[in-house]
């Protein structure tokens, strides 16, 4: 019998793969990470996509879950040169009358803004909904950033979250709020789910993202999100871990002898690489894993900040475009039915004035994306820019250059984004409860085999918890 040269090999250098490798290296295990691309990071990479001197985050960019993550609390990002910048307010929802609904860091301040419309009591409703959740945010992080099926350590906090979370976003917004501002603000948060807003559990995304906006903010990374991957890689190398780039793994047989392999890939890739090492049942369940809608993304080099009609939108890092609630719900329903909305719900991230390092003096960068059917080849640039122009007349005049990515191009860039699905798997009831498959340990694919990507709990986002949990599972089994 061949003696393994290594304790563990990790396939993929996204934040989950690097988190898994780091947890194992901290435990004294020998680790090597293979990355098919020339650079590390997976969905957290920064490049000059448009013009020289303009730095763009290719995939992930705004990172609330990094601050909420129990794993990242064990990483001293600041000591490794990562500076998280908080905009004046996390999120803004553009409204058609020239106003905006602003989600402030304080839920009481958010409520005060919503109470400007004296025809509703939406401020008080917002405070009653999000106040207890924001106060419980630390407890909730330890419950919701792990498999859904588990023995809770904070059952009361989880119950307060779970009761409204199982509802549809449309139903919860209409029952809790009376005015267009609050309803649209909640709809925009919930639309990050990439499922129709009349589906059960779509409200859970709005609750999670709203809670963390109040509790920890929605920060950006000075100079680009790629600094997070570099920080994790630096610590891993200091502990003796290896990272090999430009090395695609096609078969387990091509790897050196090893006690455990951890896949920061989709279930589809696990099947392709592991083959007969998987049990027939696991292979069948991984092959049945379903991917969700795609996104079409535009990055811009701009000759100045976006000229929003609503001045309040200049204070926020993330802007949601689509109003009222019914327009957002219609857009997401059309995508779910395989259509391309004329007025797509659009997410915009802007960096002025908080991060001047991303562009030459007096210039800035921004990006936006909308949801589209999986694998769509329809160019949504015009529709996205029309949505921005709708709320920021004169925006097109500030565009110096643009870079676009279709779902197919996103998948080519990062194979985990199947069909352009940045959540790496649809979030419906079945795949929320059993992600990636029905199992007592969702991270263990078989003896010596583990999966840690966003196709595992808790799903997408720069939190590293898939890798953290997969590594701990490996340490309980093969790597004791």
């Amino acid at each position: 019998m061949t003696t393994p040269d290594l304790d563990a090999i990790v396939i993929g250098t996204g934040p989950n793969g690097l988190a898994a490798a780091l947890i194992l290296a901290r435990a004294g295990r020998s680790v090597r990470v293979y990355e098919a691309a020339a650079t590390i990071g997976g969905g957290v990479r920064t490049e000059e996509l448009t013009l020289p001197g303009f730095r763009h985050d290719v995939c992930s960019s705004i990172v609330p879950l990094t601050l909420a993550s129990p794993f990242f609390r064990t990483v001293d990002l600041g000591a490794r040169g990562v500076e998280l910048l908080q905009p004046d307010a996390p999120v803004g929802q553009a409204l058609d009358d020239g106003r905006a609904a602003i989600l402030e860091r304080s839920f009481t301040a958010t409520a005060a803004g919503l109470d400007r419309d004296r025809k509703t009591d939406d401020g008080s409703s917002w405070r009653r909904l999000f106040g207890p959740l924001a106060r419980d945010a630390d407890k909730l992080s330890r419950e919701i950033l792990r498999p859904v099926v588990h023995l809770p350590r904070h059952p009361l906090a989880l119950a307060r979250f779970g009761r409204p979370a199982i509802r549809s976003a449309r139903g919860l917004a209409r029952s809790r709020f009376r005015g267009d501002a609050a309803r649209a603000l909640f709809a925009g948060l919930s639309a990050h789910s990439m499922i129709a807003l009349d589906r059960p559990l779509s409200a859970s995304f709005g609750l999670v993202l709203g809670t963390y906006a109040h509790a920890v903010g929605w920060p950006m990374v000075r100079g680009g999100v790629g600094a997070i991957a570099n920080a994790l890689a630096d610590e891993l190398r200091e502990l003796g871990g290896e990272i090999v780039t430009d090395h695609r793994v096609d078969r387990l047989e091509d790897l050196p002898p090893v006690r455990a392999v951890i896949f920061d890939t989709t279930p589809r890739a696990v099947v392709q690489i592991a083959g007969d090492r998987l049990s027939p049942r696991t292979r069948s369940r991984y092959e049945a894993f379903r991917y969700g809608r795609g996104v079409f993304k535009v990055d811009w080099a701009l000759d100045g900040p976006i000229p929003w009609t609503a001045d309040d939108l200049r204070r926020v890092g993330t802007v949601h475009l689509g109003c009222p609630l019914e327009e957002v719900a219609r857009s997401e329903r059309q995508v779910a039915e395989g259509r391309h909305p004329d007025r797509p719900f659009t997410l915009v991230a802007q960096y002025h004035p908080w991060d001047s390092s991303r562009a030459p003096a007096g210039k800035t960068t921004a990006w936006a994306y909308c949801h589209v059917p999986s694998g769509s080849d329809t160019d949504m640039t015009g529709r996205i820019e029309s949505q921005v122009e709708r709320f920021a007349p004169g925006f097109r005049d500030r565009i110096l250059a643009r870079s676009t990515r279709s779902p197919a191009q996103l998948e080519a860039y990062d194979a985990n984004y199947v069909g352009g699905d940045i959540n790496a798997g649809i979030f419906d009831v079945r795949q929320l409860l059993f992600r990636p498959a029905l199992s007592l340990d969702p991270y263990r694919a078989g003896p010596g085999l583990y999966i840690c990507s966003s196709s595992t709990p808790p799903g997408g986002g720069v939190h590293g918890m898939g890798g953290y949990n997969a590594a701990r599972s490996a340490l309980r089994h093969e790597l004791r």
Side-chain angles (χ1 to χ4, degrees), residues 370-449:
C370 70
H371 301 148
V372 293
S374 176
S376 166
D377 60 2
T378 297
D379 187 343
M380 298 294 286
T381 306
R383 292 183 226 192
I384 287 174
E385 291 183 354
S386 291
Q387 281 287 69
V388 181
E389 189 80 18
R390 170 183 168 191
F391 299 101
F395 163 73
R396 285 194 177 97
D397 296 335
R398 299 198 175 178
I399 299 174
L400 299 173
R402 67 173 63 82
S403 172
T404 64
R405 289 193 186 236
S406 67
Q409 290 169 322
L410 283 167
E411 183 176 354
Y413 184 80
D414 187 326
N416 285 4
Y417 297 151
V418 176
D421 177 9
I422 59 176
N423 281 335
I426 194 167
F427 270 100
D428 57 11
V429 174
R430 190 176 93 196
Q431 284 196 179
L432 181 69
L433 293 174
F434 309 117
R435 186 179 182 92
L438 175 61
S439 174
L440 292 176
D441 184 346
Y443 307 100
R444 197 166 191 239
L449 302 176

Side-chain angles (χ1 to χ4, degrees), residues 127-171:
R127 186 165 49 246
R128 287 193 297 270
L129 180 60
F130 280 103
L133 298 179
R135 286 189 288 266
D136 284 342
D138 186 60
K139 295 176 182 178
L140 286 172
S141 293
R142 301 179 188 280
E143 302 291 352
I144 64 179
L145 296 181
R146 60 186 298 183
V148 172
V149 180
H150 69 276
L151 185 64
R153 298 177 62 182
H154 305 285
L156 294 180
L158 188 58
R160 275 192 291 269
F161 168 78
R163 284 195 299 269
I166 64 174
R167 300 190 60 181
S168 74
R170 184 174 181 271

Side-chain angles (χ1 to χ4, degrees), residues 67-83:
L67 286 179
S69 165
F71 163 70
F72 272 105
R73 290 175 192 171
T74 72
V75 182
D76 191 345
L77 290 174
R80 297 187 178 276
V82 180
E83 185 178 357

Side-chain angles (χ1 to χ4, degrees), residues 80-373:
R80 297 187 178 276
V82 180
E83 185 178 357
L84 296 177
L85 304 174
Q86 294 280 8
D88 299 357
V91 183
Q93 176 70 48
L95 305 174
D96 271 321
D97 59 3
R99 296 181 301 127
I102 305 299
L103 196 163
E104 309 279 1
R105 281 293 304 275
S106 161
F107 58 83
T108 56
T110 304
L114 294 173
D115 275 341
R116 291 172 189 165
D117 184 354
R118 298 302 179 184
K119 298 178 182 178
T120 75
D121 192 30
D122 286 347
S124 296
S125 297
W126 189 277
R127 186 165 49 246
R128 287 193 297 270
L129 180 60
F130 280 103
L133 298 179
R135 286 189 288 266
D136 284 342
D138 186 60
K139 295 176 182 178
L140 286 172
S141 293
R142 301 179 188 280
E143 302 291 352
I144 64 179
L145 296 181
R146 60 186 298 183
V148 172
V149 180
H150 69 276
L151 185 64
R153 298 177 62 182
H154 305 285
L156 294 180
L158 188 58
R160 275 192 291 269
F161 168 78
R163 284 195 299 269
I166 64 174
R167 300 190 60 181
S168 74
R170 184 174 181 271
L172 184 62
R174 290 180 62 85
S175 66
R176 291 290 186 118
F177 308 117
R178 295 175 55 201
D180 284 343
R183 287 178 173 180
L185 183 59
F186 187 77
L189 295 171
S190 300
H192 286 253
S193 66
M194 297 176 64
I195 61 176
L197 298 189
D198 57 2
R199 303 299 299 166
L201 293 173
S202 54
S204 65
F205 273 72
L207 293 170
V208 169
L209 293 176
T211 295
Y212 288 132
H214 291 312
V216 299
W218 281 25
M220 59 190 69
V221 181
R222 184 183 296 278
V225 74
I228 291 179
N230 292 334
L232 298 180
D234 287 347
E235 183 179 348
L236 176 61
R237 292 187 180 105
E238 288 174 6
L239 293 171
E242 303 174 69
I243 299 176
V244 182
T245 57
D246 273 325
H247 187 111
R248 181 176 298 278
V249 177
D250 294 314
R251 303 183 310 155
L252 285 183
E253 292 76 12
D254 297 334
L255 297 177
V258 66
R259 296 168 63 192
V261 178
I262 301 180
F263 294 80
D264 186 7
T265 70
T266 65
R268 177 184 299 180
V270 176
V271 171
Q272 293 170 345
I273 296 170
D276 293 339
R277 286 277 301 276
L278 298 173
S279 71
R281 176 177 293 182
T282 298
R283 180 170 185 148
S284 174
R285 288 173 173 172
Y286 280 13
E287 288 175 337
F289 186 81
R290 292 165 299 119
Y291 302 90
R293 330 299 176 213
V295 303
F296 186 97
K297 181 171 182 278
V298 186
D299 284 276
W300 295 290
L302 299 176
D303 189 20
I306 299 175
W308 301 109
T309 299
D311 286 340
D312 272 348
L313 291 180
R314 304 175 194 213
R315 299 194 299 111
V316 305
T318 301
V319 182
H320 293 154
L321 305 181
C323 183
L325 159 67
E326 298 305 331
E327 179 184 306
V328 179
R330 185 185 315 114
S331 172
E332 296 304 286
R333 168 52 60 189
Q334 288 173 332
V335 174
E337 294 170 347
R339 293 185 285 162
H340 296 80
D342 289 332
R343 279 189 164 185
F345 169 70
T346 300
L347 301 92
V348 179
Q350 57 186 3
Y351 305 99
H352 177 86
W354 307 285
D355 187 0
S356 60
S357 70
R358 290 174 179 257
K363 317 298 181 185
T364 190
T365 62
W367 61 259
Y369 71 70
C370 70
H371 301 148
V372 293

